[in-house]
Amino acid sequence: MPVSKFEVLITGQVMPLIREGLEAHFTVHKLYEMTDKEAFIASHGAKIRGMVGGAGHGKIDGAFMGRFPNLQIVGNFGVGYDGVDAKWAGEHGIIVTNTPDVLTDEVADLAMGLLISTVRRLPQADRYVRDGKWLSQGNFPLTGSLREKKMGILGLGRIGGAIARRAEAFGLSLAYHSRSPKLDVPYTYYASLVDMARDVDILMVIAPGGESTRNIVNRAVMEALGPAGILINVARGTLVDEPVMVELLKSGKLGAAGLDVFEKEPTVPTDLFALENVVLLPHVGSGSHYTRNKMGQLVVDNIVQFSEGRGPITPVAETPWPLKG
Ligand code: A2R
């Protein structure tokens, strides 16, 4: 039974844990099930105080949030919240929450798995067995190695730090690039991404998406990484200039890539399908039952706690709690 007049809109499909968790506390409206969404917004928009984004809805931008005059909080499923205009929200007194920390180790595990898969060609080796080539063509070709390699991490935040700790255990030398140097880590800081790319064997991308990082991994960076270089992206497709990456992978000017994210998901550049020097994953970084449940619960808990006047648990940087002004 709903226990408050705090009404919540879910814009697209979400996991049942989120929908049921919200329904236990609030009157919940599912925009994605409505045939006449415009009519609903016109008649009920003013009642909506909480919002949760969902698959297939697209960006929750200022124009959309502005149609809900009493909107107070938007819950984002994921640590990356480039799908919500948090700056606009902050300027209009709306809190945005994300799901940091609970997915850090899962994404870091995936990043290391993708790195090893790319260097040691595990998916290619699996295909080799399934295609009967072990029998018909003999042993699988030798691969690259992680031994004596240096990895540069773009974005040494929560997840980048967790990847670095794992990489240390694998014996990799480490460097990083972020907006500012971290005082408490022993890794080499590069103020210039292209300089770091020139000095490392592996570039691990794990910084936020959005306009400030769009195409930060550009032609100069990928050419600096070079023909033996390995690019791993577990952040957002927008950080890498995708057409240039495809061109460099095809021509051999970039050695290999392991990609969990793409610019226009779920569309992946089809040129990549024919390349043997890439490993492609369908954005599964946090995609375990365990971690997705933790993320979903945090989405619910943020809105419940906020509705009870106790403030959000994990507001994003652009909408600190309590809101200023
Ligand atoms: O602000 P800094 O100096 O602490 O650096 C952050 C870095 N970063 C950037 N580095 C270079 N150029 C930029 N324009 C830039 N903007 C941010 O990314 C920090 O080292 C890192 C982000 O760390 P966290 O905020 O702790 O994020 P977390 O939880 O590690 O997740 C990273 C991303 C998400 O935004 C999703 O897109 C993806 O991983 O799943």
Side-chain angles (χ1 to χ4, degrees), residues 132-308:
K133 290 183 179 168
W134 196 12
L135 265 179
S136 63
Q137 297 181 22
N139 289 338
F140 188 68
L142 301 183
T143 68
S145 170
L146 284 181
R147 307 283 74 73
E148 299 184 37
K149 293 296 190 294
K150 186 166 183 178
M151 179 161 83
I153 302 179
L154 164 53
L156 197 72
R158 288 170 293 242
I159 303 172
I163 294 171
R165 289 190 290 278
R166 284 160 174 75
E168 275 192 83
F170 278 83
L172 293 170
S173 306
L174 289 163
Y176 70 101
H177 166 75
S178 53
R179 287 174 295 193
S180 54
K182 314 293 161 207
L183 300 175
D184 52 351
V185 296
Y187 321 129
T188 311
Y189 176 70
Y190 282 83
S192 157
L193 179 56
V194 75
D195 285 350
M196 182 172 81
R198 194 172 296 115
D199 286 357
V200 299
D201 307 288
I202 301 153
L203 178 60
M204 175 68 72
V205 181
I206 186 61
E211 286 314 307
S212 70
T213 57
R214 183 173 291 280
N215 288 351
I216 188 171
V217 181
N218 56 22
R219 180 181 292 277
V221 170
M222 287 184 273
E223 286 187 346
L225 198 53
I230 292 158
L231 174 67
I232 305 291
N233 188 2
V234 289
R236 288 288 185 267
T238 54
L239 280 90
V240 176
D241 188 329
E242 201 166 75
V244 168
M245 177 190 70
V246 173
E247 176 204 317
L248 296 178
L249 284 166
K250 283 169 84 173
S251 67
K253 288 182 179 164
L254 176 62
L259 308 167
D260 186 39
V261 289
F262 302 88
E263 194 173 356
K264 296 190 180 84
E265 295 170 9
T267 301
V268 174
T270 48
D271 278 5
L272 291 174
F273 297 167
L275 298 183
E276 278 298 308
N277 55 345
V278 296
V279 175
L280 308 172
L281 300 181
H283 201 151
V284 292
S286 65
S288 68
H289 291 296
Y290 177 91
T291 290
R292 288 285 169 86
N293 285 343
K294 295 273 185 200
M295 292 163 63
Q297 194 59 50
L298 187 51
V299 171
V300 173
D301 292 347
N302 263 296
I303 296 184
V304 170
Q305 183 165 310
F306 177 84
S307 74
E308 292 170 347

Side-chain angles (χ1 to χ4, degrees), residues 19-87:
R19 184 173 40 73
E20 289 161 13
L22 293 170
E23 283 172 346
H25 292 83
F26 312 115
T27 300
V28 173
H29 304 277
K30 293 164 233 162
L31 194 65
Y32 54 97
E33 284 185 353
M34 294 174 197
T35 43
D36 194 344
K37 298 179 175 58
E38 291 301 317
F40 170 81
I41 294 172
S43 62
H44 279 77
K47 292 185 181 167
I48 300 300
R49 290 163 66 186
M51 184 182 289
V52 172
H57 176 265
K59 186 155 179 154
I60 297 184
D61 56 15
F64 186 70
M65 286 184 274
R67 302 185 68 188
F68 304 89
N70 296 307
L71 183 62
Q72 294 175 309
I73 183 166
V74 176
N76 180 75
F77 181 72
V79 64
Y81 51 95
D82 41 320
V84 181
D85 190 340
K87 183 168 177 289

